[in-house]
């Protein structure tokens, strides 16, 4: 049981939204009493071990056919990492990549999906996530009852929290290919 966070990369650099997702996912892991782990696809110029300061303990880095975004290939690769780690919560940023991958992953795992989350889940009585509805004019509280839960975090909805620490970086052996 772990929380897996997708770390989105553009031209070798980690996107700002990924730091929000890392902080958010680490806080969920803390609430659930489990570990937060990240997954990166493709080559990265940034120091992946330094992402530990955002609360993740391990980074799964898959290199290979990830130079151009392909939602089907990314979905398959993330699904393999999620299955290998036993992830019960998977976190994305609600940007183009997250909007393309999260629903596919939801169908693959038969998992509940909350797109556009704006607050941490309430795990005291089930697993309820607050999200924007009606173009941000109202909120809805969505309860997810599936074993695997997928959340895509709205941009700028959660503060980036940096502390101390380093993450263990491991190579993820995935068979996804375009």
């Amino acid at each position: 049981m772990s929380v897996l966070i997708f770390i989105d990369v553009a031209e070798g650099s980690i996107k700002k939204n990924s730091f929000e997702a890392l902080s958010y996912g680490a806080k969920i892991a803390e609430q659930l009493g489990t570990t937060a782990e990240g997954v990166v696809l493709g080559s990265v110029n940034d120091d992946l071990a330094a992402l530990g300061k955002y609360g993740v303990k391990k980074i799964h880095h898959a290199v290979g056919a990830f130079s151009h975004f392909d939602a089907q290939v990314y979905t398959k690769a993330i699904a393999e990492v999620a299955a290998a780690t036993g992830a019960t919560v998977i976190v994305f940023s609600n940007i183009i990549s997250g909007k393309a991958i999260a629903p596919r992953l939801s169908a693959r795992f038969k998992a509940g999906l909350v797109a556009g989350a704006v607050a941490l889940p309430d795990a005291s009585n089930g697993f309820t996530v607050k999200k924007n509805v009606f173009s941000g004019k109202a909120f809805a509280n969505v309860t997810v009852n599936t074993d695997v839960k997928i959340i895509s975090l709205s941009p700028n909805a959660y503060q980036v929290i940096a502390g101390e620490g380093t993450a263990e970086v491991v190579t993820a052996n995935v068979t996804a290919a375009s």
Side-chain angles (χ1 to χ4, degrees), residues 34-38 51-52 55-59 164-169:
T34 188
T35 59
E37 301 181 17
L51 296 177
V56 293
K57 302 297 180 206
K58 186 183 280 188
I59 304 292
E164 298 289 323
T166 58
E168 174 189 1
V169 179

Side-chain angles (χ1 to χ4, degrees), residues 72 75-80 102-111:
Q72 291 177 334
T75 300
K76 186 171 189 261
I78 295 167
E80 289 180 26
R104 286 178 164 90
L105 206 58
S106 175
R108 185 176 292 253
F109 283 125
K110 295 183 173 58

Side-chain angles (χ1 to χ4, degrees), residues 60-111:
H60 302 272
H61 185 201
V63 292
F66 302 110
S67 58
H68 299 290
F69 181 72
D70 182 336
Q72 291 177 334
V73 174
Y74 275 51
T75 300
K76 186 171 189 261
I78 295 167
E80 289 180 26
V81 173
T85 61
T88 55
V89 178
I90 305 170
V91 177
F92 292 91
S93 292
N94 198 32
I95 58 175
I96 291 173
S97 58
K99 289 177 181 180
I101 300 167
R104 286 178 164 90
L105 206 58
S106 175
R108 185 176 292 253
F109 283 125
K110 295 183 173 58

Side-chain angles (χ1 to χ4, degrees), residues 70-153:
D70 182 336
Q72 291 177 334
V73 174
Y74 275 51
T75 300
K76 186 171 189 261
I78 295 167
E80 289 180 26
V81 173
T85 61
T88 55
V89 178
I90 305 170
V91 177
F92 292 91
S93 292
N94 198 32
I95 58 175
I96 291 173
S97 58
K99 289 177 181 180
I101 300 167
R104 286 178 164 90
L105 206 58
S106 175
R108 185 176 292 253
F109 283 125
K110 295 183 173 58
L113 168 64
V114 178
V118 294
L120 286 168
D122 179 8
S124 61
N125 188 19
F127 194 89
T128 304
V129 183
K130 183 178 180 181
K131 68 171 275 169
N132 278 331
V133 292
F134 301 117
S135 302
K137 293 178 178 53
F139 298 103
N141 292 314
V142 180
T143 301
V144 183
N145 296 319
T146 56
D147 292 337
V148 177
K149 298 148 183 65
I150 300 175
I151 302 171
S152 62
L153 178 67

